[in-house]
Amino acid sequence: GVFVGVTGRSSAEAVAYFLLSVTPAWASVAVLFVAACFVSTAMGTSVGTITLIVPIAAAVSSVSGFSLALCVGSVMGGAMFGDNLSFISDTTIAACNTQGCEMRDKFRANFKIALPAAVATLAVILLQSINAGVGHIDIPDYNLQLLIPYVLVLIGGIAGLNVFLVLIIGILAGVAIVLLTGTVDFMSLLGSMGSGASGMFETIMVTILVSAMCALIREFGGFEALLAFIRRVFKGRVGGRLGVGLLVGAMDIATANNTVAIVMAGPIAKEISEEYHITPKESASLLDTFSCIFQGVIPYGAQMLVAISASGGVVSAFQIMPCLHYPYLLAAASIVYILVGAGKKRT
């Protein structure tokens, strides 16, 4: 929360405007997707990324003639890419903690699914854009120094540093840069840091309440009933992996929050993974991936509602949903991964 408060809108805008300035205008929608991927991976929040990038997407749509639904859907897809892969995302932390694996191991397993889906999404967006006939797009001034905190967080996460150390490094770098460049004054920066921290309170409280509810469900036989259903319906290595994915997907549809869905499904997924010989990193990857797939497309999720609000409320969820290429392709990539990889004996 503090990291997002420090980096804020200026850093996200710097990423988007830099990429828009070095690519042709007809590729603007693809740039929005890539920018959202980068920002959400660095920030660890899909909702925060959508809040920051969708207004830029709306501006690009108004001056370029690209469909607003396509621009917003591309940003939402990129936001879910980072939410799924980021080392500091609450979904990554929840998935790794419930399954008992290292974040770096989960990232490697996750990357095999997310990268093909992202490349395919980029190809689809470029094919839709190539004959658009878009002219020049004016780019406001931006400061590339504001990208440094994002880059440091990404490098630290990939290097396997402790998540708190990575965030502290990013926060200190962000504070130094925004103060030295005069982006904000000291008191405004403190206010942004406080708002970012307080914004996490709701997530913390919901997680505690869900954990307590899961304990009650386990105590009164709910977990055993779910496990019995999964054993009865899903058979073999492929079935076990599909069971984990669909379990967290059902939880997400019910709660409209992918972090809560992972916290609820995590203990059951742990037992499934032990019974079906699924490695912890693979189980964590499936939990995070399928939760992001469903969260990225449901019309009543926070991501969709924030995207509609940030775009000015002139586009509906059902207009955006056909343009959510990344979640759909991520679902296809996940199914292929399960069918191809489940037959290999894991150790």
Side-chain angles (χ1 to χ4, degrees), residues 33-88:
F33 173 72
V34 173
C37 287
F38 180 84
V39 171
S40 59
T41 303
M43 290 175 59
T45 165
S46 54
V47 173
T49 299
I50 290 168
T51 302
L52 298 174
I53 305 294
V54 163
I56 300 174
V60 168
S61 173
S62 65
V63 300
S64 67
F66 281 117
S67 160
L68 179 58
L70 177 62
C71 292
V72 173
S74 299
V75 172
M76 286 185 63
M80 298 316 298
F81 173 90
D83 198 338
N84 185 16
L85 282 181
S86 176
F87 286 91
I88 60 174

Side-chain angles (χ1 to χ4, degrees), residues 1-4 6-7 40-44 85-89 92-93 102-104 147-175:
V2 173
F3 176 72
V4 173
V6 169
T7 53
S40 59
T41 303
M43 290 175 59
L85 282 181
S86 176
F87 286 91
I88 60 174
S89 167
T92 293
I93 295 169
E102 295 292 330
M103 292 186 191
R104 184 164 49 179
L147 274 65
I148 294 175
Y150 287 172
V151 174
L152 291 175
V153 167
L154 287 174
I155 292 173
I158 293 171
L161 297 179
N162 180 275
V163 64
F164 287 104
L165 178 60
V166 169
L167 285 170
I168 289 171
I169 292 171
I171 290 167
L172 293 176
V175 168

Side-chain angles (χ1 to χ4, degrees), residues 2-337:
V2 173
F3 176 72
V4 173
V6 169
T7 53
R9 183 176 299 277
S10 298
S11 296
E13 289 177 345
V15 173
Y17 290 141
F18 168 69
L19 292 174
L20 286 168
S21 69
V22 297
T23 53
W26 64 266
S28 298
V29 180
V31 168
L32 291 172
F33 173 72
V34 173
C37 287
F38 180 84
V39 171
S40 59
T41 303
M43 290 175 59
T45 165
S46 54
V47 173
T49 299
I50 290 168
T51 302
L52 298 174
I53 305 294
V54 163
I56 300 174
V60 168
S61 173
S62 65
V63 300
S64 67
F66 281 117
S67 160
L68 179 58
L70 177 62
C71 292
V72 173
S74 299
V75 172
M76 286 185 63
M80 298 316 298
F81 173 90
D83 198 338
N84 185 16
L85 282 181
S86 176
F87 286 91
I88 60 174
S89 167
D90 46 4
T91 59
T92 293
I93 295 169
C96 291
N97 283 351
T98 57
Q99 303 309 296
C101 74
E102 295 292 330
M103 292 186 191
R104 184 164 49 179
D105 294 334
K106 180 260 182 189
F107 175 85
R108 289 170 178 165
N110 225 158
F111 198 67
K112 296 175 183 177
I113 306 173
L115 181 62
V119 171
T121 301
L122 199 56
V124 170
I125 294 173
L126 288 172
L127 286 173
Q128 289 183 301
S129 306
I130 197 165
N131 294 319
V134 177
H136 176 72
I137 297 177
D138 292 326
I139 307 297
D141 293 332
Y142 57 89
N143 186 351
L144 277 179
Q145 291 178 324
L146 297 172
L147 274 65
I148 294 175
Y150 287 172
V151 174
L152 291 175
V153 167
L154 287 174
I155 292 173
I158 293 171
L161 297 179
N162 180 275
V163 64
F164 287 104
L165 178 60
V166 169
L167 285 170
I168 289 171
I169 292 171
I171 290 167
L172 293 176
V175 168
I177 290 167
V178 298
L179 290 179
L180 290 175
T181 59
T183 305
V184 297
D185 60 67
F186 182 70
M187 294 308 297
S188 297
L189 178 62
L190 287 180
S192 298
M193 293 169 70
S195 298
S198 62
M200 296 302 297
F201 178 74
E202 180 181 342
T203 300
I204 294 169
M205 288 304 300
V206 169
T207 303
I208 292 171
L209 293 172
V210 168
S211 297
M213 184 170 64
C214 287
L216 290 173
I217 294 171
R218 178 189 290 274
E219 181 67 23
F220 290 97
F223 281 8
E224 286 75 8
L226 279 170
L227 285 169
F229 173 77
I230 290 170
R231 292 189 191 104
R232 187 168 63 252
V233 174
F234 299 100
K235 306 292 184 182
R237 302 175 66 80
V238 170
R241 286 154 179 76
L242 278 175
V244 170
L246 295 179
L247 171 68
V248 74
M251 298 288 188
D252 187 80
I253 290 171
T255 62
N257 186 302
N258 47 348
T259 305
V260 171
I262 291 171
V263 172
M264 291 183 69
I268 307 173
K270 180 69 172 173
E271 296 192 30
I272 295 172
S273 64
E274 291 172 355
E275 183 168 334
Y276 286 84
H277 307 292
I278 305 171
T279 61
K281 64 181 181 181
E282 189 178 17
S283 179
S285 173
L286 291 171
L287 278 174
D288 201 346
T289 300
F290 275 86
S291 72
C292 286
I293 290 169
F294 285 89
Q295 186 67 25
V297 298
I298 54 176
Y300 51 89
Q303 287 78 1
M304 181 68 78
L305 298 177
V306 168
I308 293 170
S309 174
S311 64
V314 297
V315 64
S316 72
F318 295 102
Q319 290 174 303
I320 296 172
M321 288 174 71
C323 300
L324 295 171
H325 303 308
Y326 178 72
Y328 301 138
L329 290 169
L330 182 62
S334 300
I335 298 300
V336 171
Y337 174 82

